[in-house]
Amino acid sequence: MTKSASTPPPPPAPAATRAKVRLLPVEWSGDAPFPGRWVAGASLVAAPPLLAAGVLLRAPFPFFFPQQLAARAEHPALIAASYGAFAAGTVLLWPGVAGLAARIGRRCPALALWGGVFTVLGLFARTFHAGVDHLAFQLADQEGPGAAARFVGETYGAFHVFSSLNPAIMGGWLLLAAGAWRARVLGPVRALALAAAAALPLGVLKGTTPLSVVAVAGLCLALVPLGATVLRDGPAPGRATVLRWTAAVVVTGALMTLIGRAG
């Protein structure tokens, strides 16, 4: 009788590799490994307040674009902070939407799929609008708000591919809210608050209305507590890991900013 050969154990990972894994550990598990609970939870906590800040900072000024451009000339730092915070909140919100859709998908996959897809497409459209806002403000700085207002007024109806996504800006939140309620991710009050995000005005150089305030307040009420729950839903990292990740994010952000400014 021949003796069966035993498979030798794999060689241990090199010390340098093990050190890298311990240096910045990454959690990759669960129903939705991407973007993961830390990125999704941080998004849900941070993005809605940024959107709210952007809406509230421009609240003193009239809604339509000529007045928004005039406000830029009179209060450049305030308007820059308002539109910058809103744009940042828009971009940072997509991981939270992905995480929310993943939770909804455990019970209501169709609403999770279409609500998540439409909402993220709507965030893309709002990011495009933010780029147009930035260009209009640069024109106002160089040529004056009157010239910028004439240019925006003459080109406001020009076609662009993102026009087709305008219904997704509103409809995505309604589908997500319905899914969050049916999947018991959110209760009826917070699901209704999430649905209120559909009332946030869309388009270029939009100011603040009472519906804007209701919409961002609904986002904060619905998503910030959910983000805190997501962040607590698992083991917490050690203090050293948090400090290393914080330093890595800050340094990476600074480098990306410098490289971006260099063109």
Side-chain angles (χ1 to χ4, degrees):
M1 186 171 65
T2 59
K3 185 178 179 181
S4 60
S6 59
T7 303
T17 302
R18 294 199 302 271
K20 288 180 181 179
V21 172
R22 288 197 300 268
L23 182 63
L24 294 174
V26 174
E27 177 184 303
W28 191 263
S29 61
D31 294 338
F34 182 80
R37 71 181 176 101
W38 293 110
V39 175
S43 167
L44 291 167
V45 169
L50 281 171
L51 291 169
V55 166
L56 294 176
L57 285 173
R58 71 186 80 159
F61 310 106
F63 177 77
F64 293 104
F65 69 86
Q67 290 79 20
Q68 294 291 303
L69 291 167
R72 166 74 178 202
E74 297 172 4
H75 307 278
L78 180 62
I79 294 299
S82 169
Y83 280 82
F86 192 89
T90 298
V91 172
L92 290 176
L93 191 53
W94 77 262
V97 170
L100 173 58
R103 291 192 164 220
I104 294 171
R106 297 170 187 172
R107 294 186 178 215
C108 301
L111 286 172
L113 172 64
W114 294 112
V117 167
F118 284 172
T119 302
V120 171
L121 289 177
L123 295 176
F124 287 163
R126 286 195 184 276
T127 304
F128 171 80
H129 296 156
V132 179
D133 294 342
H134 178 73
L135 178 61
F137 287 143
Q138 303 314 302
L139 182 60
D141 292 343
Q142 296 297 321
E143 305 294 335
R150 285 193 298 273
F151 176 77
V152 172
E154 292 170 359
T155 59
Y156 199 87
F159 174 77
H160 54 79
V161 295
F162 287 94
S163 299
S164 60
L165 298 182
N166 286 343
I169 296 177
M170 301 175 290
W173 292 114
L174 298 176
L175 291 173
L176 271 186
W181 175 65
R182 291 191 60 187
R184 301 179 185 175
V185 176
L186 297 176
V189 174
R190 286 171 58 198
L192 186 62
L194 184 63
L200 190 61
L202 58 93
V204 173
L205 294 171
K206 290 296 190 293
T208 297
T209 67
L211 281 179
S212 306
V213 177
V214 170
V216 294
L219 277 177
C220 290
L221 176 62
L223 298 185
V224 173
L226 177 62
T229 299
V230 170
L231 292 174
R232 292 194 300 264
D233 189 15
R239 179 180 300 177
T241 299
V242 172
L243 291 176
R244 288 195 295 267
W245 267 111
T246 301
V249 170
V250 170
V251 170
T252 302
L255 288 175
M256 291 177 67
T257 300
L258 291 175
I259 294 171
R261 292 288 295 168

